[in-house]
Amino acid sequence: LSLKLTASVVVGTALCVGYYFLSRKEKKKKAIGIVVACTGFGKFRGVSDNPTEVIVKKLPAYLKANPLDDHRIFIDRCKVLEVSAEACKKVLDELRESCFEPTDYLRIWLHLGVDTSSKNFKLETSAWNEADFRCPDESNWQPSHEPISKDCDIKKSLNSRLPLSKLASKLRTLGFAVSTSNDPGRFVCNYTYYYSLSSCVRESENSIFIHCPPFEVVPEARQLAFVRSFMLIAASELCA
């Protein structure tokens, strides 16, 4: 498994450096729309029913019943990921190769994960180049203080280029309990987010990870409404 993971971490120095400079490059113009690929997670140790699996599976039908009413938003993927570092990288690579990439649109990789102790939604601003799993993932891998990318310092972080503080503020005006966070943990959520961000080397794409509370705290229907509202607000901020 170690060899497989090493071989699959092809992000390397070039992507780390590329993302570093891209994150500081000022955009010349707004996109004409956003294309969203949405992912959630399946079960893992201690969480037999992951709410983000339900959200991602039900999102297409929910949006059909509750249309976005914004022609600038296009959703081309809703995918449930296995809670496994190796599986997540494999699926994200496959999605990247197959996803629709229209000209002048902004690609957003919208990743959802559960925080069983949270009382609100958390827009994660950063991902860290450290894998330190509190328990084995679903492939039975449990790294301890290992870098995700061997070519970058373990203390390195990557930041979403989306205006998350502004998005969180607007979501709060709609009545959602939401905050920003710079600590997505060091489990598969962070691993997936770091890999996703490091792959966003083009100006026309970006990634965001949102930690969702359990359904016992925020019911399913409200969480689906939150994801819908996030996309609408993102389009209003990022599109011409």
Side-chain angles (χ1 to χ4, degrees), residues 65-134:
N66 302 270
L68 288 163
D69 295 327
D70 191 325
H71 68 278
R72 299 172 300 179
I73 306 173
F74 181 74
I75 303 171
D76 66 348
R77 293 291 188 280
C78 287
K79 184 73 174 179
V80 176
L81 306 176
E82 179 184 298
V83 182
S84 158
E86 183 177 22
C88 286
K89 289 190 293 184
K90 181 177 182 294
V91 173
L92 289 183
D93 286 344
E94 291 172 350
L95 288 176
R96 185 170 294 278
E97 291 176 2
S98 64
C99 276
F100 175 50
E101 297 296 347
T103 306
D104 296 327
Y105 276 66
L106 175 67
R107 156 70 63 189
I108 295 180
W109 300 95
L110 174 57
H111 304 295
L112 306 176
V114 64
D115 181 347
T116 57
S117 64
S118 183
K119 302 297 183 183
N120 62 280
F121 296 98
K122 293 190 291 186
L123 309 187
E124 300 292 352
T125 62
S126 308
W128 301 84
N129 188 36
E130 181 181 15
D132 187 30
F133 293 2
R134 64 184 184 277

Side-chain angles (χ1 to χ4, degrees), residues 3-17 89-90 92-93 96-97 129 147-152 191 194-195 198-199 201:
L3 290 175
K4 289 181 181 179
L5 288 170
T6 301
S8 64
V9 181
V10 295
V11 177
T13 302
L15 291 183
C16 289
V17 173
K89 289 190 293 184
K90 181 177 182 294
L92 289 183
D93 286 344
R96 185 170 294 278
E97 291 176 2
N129 188 36
I148 297 170
S149 171
K150 310 301 182 184
D151 298 305
C152 298
Y191 200 107
Y194 188 90
Y195 188 75
S198 64
S199 299
V201 295

Side-chain angles (χ1 to χ4, degrees), residues 156-222:
K156 180 178 178 61
S157 66
L158 296 177
N159 301 318
S160 175
R161 298 190 304 276
L162 297 176
L164 298 183
S165 293
K166 184 180 290 187
L167 297 182
S169 178
K170 291 198 170 186
L171 285 163
R172 284 193 292 271
T173 66
L174 297 179
F176 294 104
V178 55
S179 62
T180 58
S181 163
N182 65 359
D183 185 9
R186 298 297 184 271
F187 193 46
V188 178
C189 289
N190 174 72
Y191 200 107
T192 301
Y193 195 19
Y194 188 90
Y195 188 75
S196 181
L197 281 171
S198 64
S199 299
C200 293
V201 295
R202 293 176 295 180
E203 186 178 356
S204 60
E205 63 179 333
N206 208 339
S207 180
I208 167 63
F209 196 103
I210 301 177
H211 265 123
C212 302
F215 284 155
E216 293 79 11
V217 176
V218 179
E220 176 187 311
R222 187 63 173 165

